[in-house]
Amino acid sequence: MIKKLVFATNNEHKTAEVAKILSPDYETLNLKDINCLVDIPETGDTFAENATLKSSYVFENFGLDCFADDSGLEVEALNNEPGIYSARYSGIKDDLTNLQLLLKNMEGKTNRKARFKTVISLLKNGKNHLFEGVIEGNIRTSPAGTNGFGYDPIFQPNGYDITFAEMDMSEKNIISHRALAMKKLIEFLKA
Ligand code: ITT
């Protein structure tokens, strides 16, 4: 029997990436699938706190074990912004507007170093387990590619000459911050 895992997210792109990583061993259910129609407030100061707020909300209101991902882009030349504010960097939750603001703020900067970070909180049997994934790379001067979401068109991982948005999902899923954190979660579930 396929096991079901609840992923406390409203982000369909995150859901698709994670569902692909977990299949065929697990079926992934997101917030919509469990009929949780709220945007869970992310009032923490760190990825770990915000991920835990999301997983705890589901545990407290639905009584289900679940995991949540809080993630973002840290850009060295911008004092590691947008970080936990990545989803609403410009003030609104719109990927293109946020990406364009980031490119504007990077104009003239020679240090293009950046990293994507994910912290996953897994609440299992009332206990919180945290898993982190990081990938280092650079911010392009202009967008390239149409796959993925968020800042993917301007993020080029180290060792590659294409952006995340120029990779297909299975390629991104081998190296991405989210995939690395998910690998740790899967190892934990197996043990
Ligand atoms: P949930 O909270 O419902 O999971 P969200 O999109 O609000 O969805 P976050 O609060 O974790 O998720 O914000 C993450 C933001 O960071 C996301 O909206 C993107 O702007 C950026 N981001 C995270 N992972 C990314 C990735 O793999 N590729 C591109 N951008 C990413």
Side-chain angles (χ1 to χ4, degrees):
M1 200 181 71
I2 301 178
K3 287 168 262 181
K4 294 184 180 189
L5 277 181
V6 177
F7 179 23
T9 185
N10 287 310
N11 184 318
E12 296 292 344
H13 297 280
K14 283 187 185 179
T15 306
E17 288 183 8
V18 161
K20 189 158 186 171
I21 292 169
L22 287 172
S23 86
D25 296 334
Y26 297 92
E27 182 187 343
T28 306
L29 304 178
N30 67 14
L31 290 175
K32 208 162 80 188
D33 296 323
I34 61 164
N35 220 10
C36 176
L37 304 173
V38 286
D39 196 10
I40 302 165
E42 296 177 33
T43 51
D45 295 325
T46 61
F47 291 117
E49 281 177 51
N50 284 334
T52 305
L53 283 171
K54 292 184 253 189
S55 59
S56 305
Y57 184 93
V58 171
F59 185 69
E60 282 159 19
N61 292 278
F62 292 79
L64 297 168
D65 283 351
C66 84
F67 69 95
D69 150 314
D70 200 58
S71 48
L73 183 66
E74 294 181 343
V75 182
E76 238 182 54
L78 302 177
N79 299 316
N80 288 333
E81 283 182 2
I84 60 167
Y85 304 108
S86 294
R88 297 172 189 275
Y89 186 40
S90 63
I92 59 166
K93 205 166 183 172
D94 181 76
D95 281 355
L96 187 60
T97 312
N98 291 330
L99 178 154
Q100 282 167 344
L101 175 64
L102 194 118
L103 276 185
K104 189 168 162 284
N105 291 343
M106 285 298 284
E107 272 170 18
K109 306 264 190 219
T110 47
N111 176 5
R112 313 289 303 185
K113 283 188 199 162
R115 69 188 68 84
F116 267 124
K117 209 179 255 182
T118 292
V119 175
I120 290 175
S121 153
L122 170 72
L123 269 186
K124 198 163 189 293
N125 302 325
K127 266 197 179 162
N128 191 20
H129 306 273
L130 299 173
F131 308 97
E132 186 176 290
V134 177
I135 177 155
E136 304 281 345
N138 282 282
I139 301 298
R140 287 274 192 95
T141 50
S142 58
T146 53
N147 297 328
F149 68 103
Y151 302 90
D152 280 346
I154 54 169
F155 182 79
Q156 179 175 308
N158 287 349
Y160 292 79
D161 57 8
I162 55 173
T163 67
F164 264 175
E166 293 176 292
M167 297 182 177
D168 60 35
M169 193 192 288
S170 44
E171 239 180 318
K172 181 183 170 190
N173 261 349
I174 295 171
I175 59 169
S176 85
H177 49 310
R178 183 162 301 102
L180 297 173
M182 283 302 296
K183 231 178 243 171
K184 295 179 187 172
L185 178 143
I186 290 167
E187 285 309 311
F188 174 84
L189 290 175
K190 275 194 199 149

